[in-house]
Amino acid sequence: MEEKLNIIQQEHTEYTLLKIEGRIDGYWSKQLEEYLDNSLRTGKYNIALDLTGVNYLSSLGIRILVKFKKLYRQVNGGFGIVDASKSVIDLLEMAGLHTLLKWQIQEVASSVEAAARIIESDGYVFKVTQTAALKGMECYISGNPEKLRTGGFGKEDCKSLKFGRNHYGIGLGAIGLNFDDCKNRFGEFVALGDSVVYSPAGKPNSPDYMLKSGALIPGIELLYGITFAGDFDTVVNFSSADIGKTIGLSAILTKIFEITSHECFVMVMLAETSGLVGLSINHSPANEGEITQNPFTYPEIKENVNFTTEPEFKQMMTITAGIASISNVESLERFTRPLVSGSPIMQHFHTAVFSYHPLKKTDINLDDTISALFEQDKIRGVLHLVNDTREITGIGESEFTGGVCWIGNIKSTIKTR
């Protein structure tokens, strides 16, 4: 037998079988790890292994098998060995892992997933589930984003806001005691229930955050923003039907309008990205002397705004929050921009970036998943997402490979704090 690793993939109705032949040693185990990681990322939640053709399994290979057994268990998937060569079985029995690594298919979908409506469109599968929420979301706007053009934010513009479960928001703010404490650090923020994260001005890759702990309630010193409170009425899982295919934010929002028939909605999305396009400010607009004229004119914009020069944070997990409207909501005009030139969809979204973590196949709890991401990983960045449609030099929009969207209909009038 050749000293290399061959992986033959066979698709079955309820699982994927991987027939593996060769050596799983210190060198070839890396190929197996990459293959299994890619399978999980592309939504294969039941993987069975046939190791009858494996003549050698190293300790590193065993570690990889145990790693993916745990990962698949965390996401309610199935992973294990259906058959193996005698040498592999003897080794696993000596290590006390033969029973642990046995194949057992994950039970079929929960009752919630079974009730989902399936929509296939342009190479993507959307699973749509309605929740029991009836009241929808309340939306509040605060401050004047147009002051960004003059750097005219003062103490009178600053509001202290607290968040918690079922409370979300985006805008410009900082974590701190008051305006004076924060005036040099105001930047983009995302409030996600019991978690608040922001990007201090001038430090795009050094975000700070606050989590609920005991009596500590996360909050933000706010210059301007949009905040939401209430329950989500629709959950949309989306995944690619073709390996390597991605979907842009504009296509996701367009599909959600089609699915829900909402005219204005809040969205919180957990998704793996294949590249983000966005920006963050480089100078706090409340820092006296930093901004003396419109920071968005050329060439000042090069110094005052950090742009992604190419899609960034590929293959990372993101939490994106914001608002989209297809109707003329006058009070939102200062806070939203067209999705693409000429589009009736107006939107404003911020995203927080983490290392990749697989999502559960079913029964994903938004609050628990957000908390786990903050507690287990260092956050990588916060961006205001944009669509760069410049001719020749434009890099397009943020793209995603799969994820889950929680949608809340904004039924009540937009309110001003």
Side-chain angles (χ1 to χ4, degrees):
M1 185 177 292
E2 294 183 79
E3 291 192 357
K4 64 177 183 178
L5 196 71
N6 293 319
I7 301 175
I8 303 169
Q9 181 172 309
Q10 297 178 353
E11 295 296 339
H12 294 262
T13 304
E14 295 183 344
Y15 64 95
T16 298
L17 178 67
L18 300 181
K19 298 189 70 170
I20 301 174
E21 300 173 346
R23 293 175 59 87
I24 306 180
D25 57 18
Y27 179 80
W28 292 105
S29 60
K30 296 175 184 177
Q31 178 185 333
L32 176 61
E33 185 173 25
E34 290 174 359
Y35 196 100
L36 293 174
D37 182 66
N38 185 63
S39 296
L40 187 55
R41 286 173 181 264
T42 54
K44 297 187 182 301
Y45 283 86
N46 280 302
I47 296 287
L49 304 176
D50 181 347
L51 305 184
T52 54
V54 174
N55 62 340
Y56 178 78
L57 177 63
S58 70
S59 294
L60 180 57
I62 293 175
R63 183 191 66 79
I64 289 169
L65 295 179
V66 173
K67 167 189 170 181
F68 280 93
K69 183 71 174 184
K70 292 179 179 178
L71 279 176
Y72 272 83
R73 183 179 294 165
Q74 290 172 9
V75 298
N76 298 337
F79 177 87
I81 300 169
V82 292
D83 201 1
S85 64
K86 185 177 184 303
S87 62
V88 170
I89 292 174
D90 290 344
L91 180 62
L92 293 177
E93 285 181 342
M94 284 188 290
L97 296 172
H98 186 235
T99 300
L100 172 68
L101 291 173
K102 274 187 176 180
W103 163 249
Q104 184 177 4
I105 194 167
Q106 169 66 17
E107 293 298 326
V108 187
S110 67
S111 58
V112 173
E113 185 184 3
R117 179 163 52 107
I118 308 298
I119 299 172
E120 296 188 20
S121 175
D122 297 325
Y124 259 78
V125 178
F126 299 85
K127 295 181 180 179
V128 184
T129 306
Q130 303 300 132
T131 73
L134 297 175
K135 294 183 179 179
M137 286 275 183
E138 289 189 336
C139 178
Y140 303 86
I141 57 174
S142 183
N144 181 9
E146 294 301 321
K147 284 192 174 184
L148 262 180
R149 300 182 181 278
T150 62
F153 289 103
K155 187 176 296 186
E156 69 280 2
D157 298 299
C158 187
K159 295 180 174 66
S160 298
L161 295 184
K162 296 292 184 183
F163 294 89
R165 288 290 169 104
N166 301 324
H167 287 71
Y168 308 89
I170 59 172
L172 205 70
I175 296 173
L177 300 177
N178 50 42
F179 175 82
D180 289 331
D181 179 43
C182 297
K183 66 181 182 179
N184 297 331
R185 297 183 285 108
F186 285 108
E188 292 76 12
F189 80 88
V190 189
L192 300 160
D194 289 338
S195 311
V196 174
V197 57
Y198 92 108
S199 178
K203 300 177 180 179
N205 296 317
S206 302
D208 194 10
Y209 62 90
M210 179 184 294
L211 308 177
K212 183 180 184 301
S213 179
L216 176 64
I217 307 298
I220 200 84
E221 296 300 304
L222 176 75
L223 292 183
Y224 72 81
I226 314 172
T227 55
F228 325 101
D231 299 313
F232 298 106
D233 57 76
T234 307
V235 180
V236 179
N237 294 63
F238 65 98
S239 59
S240 172
D242 304 314
I243 294 177
K245 188 175 179 62
T246 64
I247 184 170
L249 180 63
S250 58
I252 293 172
L253 296 179
T254 300
K255 180 56 64 174
I256 289 173
F257 276 114
E258 177 186 316
I259 289 170
T260 64
S261 298
H262 295 337
E263 293 187 354
C264 188
F265 63 78
V266 174
M267 182 180 80
V268 176
M269 176 176 71
L270 288 168
E272 181 186 356
T273 180
S274 58
L276 296 177
V277 178
L279 57 85
S280 61
I281 61 171
N282 200 35
H283 297 296
S284 172
N287 189 1
E288 294 179 0
E290 286 283 355
I291 299 179
T292 58
Q293 56 186 352
N294 188 342
F296 301 113
T297 57
Y298 184 84
E300 287 78 10
I301 192 170
K302 295 194 297 182
E303 296 295 328
N304 292 313
V305 179
N306 299 302
F307 286 99
T308 53
T309 56
E310 60 182 18
E312 295 184 2
F313 302 111
K314 296 179 180 180
Q315 295 188 317
M316 291 192 177
M317 184 57 64
T318 61
I319 310 176
T320 302
I323 188 170
S325 172
I326 205 166
S327 58
N328 184 21
V329 182
E330 184 177 350
S331 53
L332 284 176
E333 286 181 351
R334 291 181 299 173
F335 294 85
T336 58
R337 295 292 181 268
L339 185 63
V340 293
S341 179
S343 171
I345 298 177
M346 305 291 286
Q347 52 78 40
H348 189 159
F349 285 92
H350 288 187
T351 194
V353 187
F354 299 81
S355 297
Y356 175 75
H357 288 273
L359 296 174
K360 288 183 178 181
K361 182 180 181 181
T362 60
D363 302 327
I364 302 174
N365 182 284
L366 174 60
D367 296 317
D368 291 347
T369 306
I370 289 174
S371 296
L373 284 172
F374 275 98
E375 291 170 1
Q376 296 175 13
D377 192 12
K378 177 184 177 182
I379 186 169
R380 304 307 179 92
V382 178
L383 286 175
H384 175 175
L385 299 185
V386 298
N387 193 342
D388 184 0
T389 58
R390 293 173 298 170
E391 291 186 11
I392 303 176
T393 58
I395 58 175
E397 64 176 339
S398 300
E399 298 275 340
F400 302 89
T401 58
V404 189
C405 304
W406 284 262
I407 310 301
N409 188 21
I410 297 179
K411 294 182 178 180
S412 60
T413 305
I414 309 296
K415 303 175 182 179
T416 303
R417 287 191 185 275

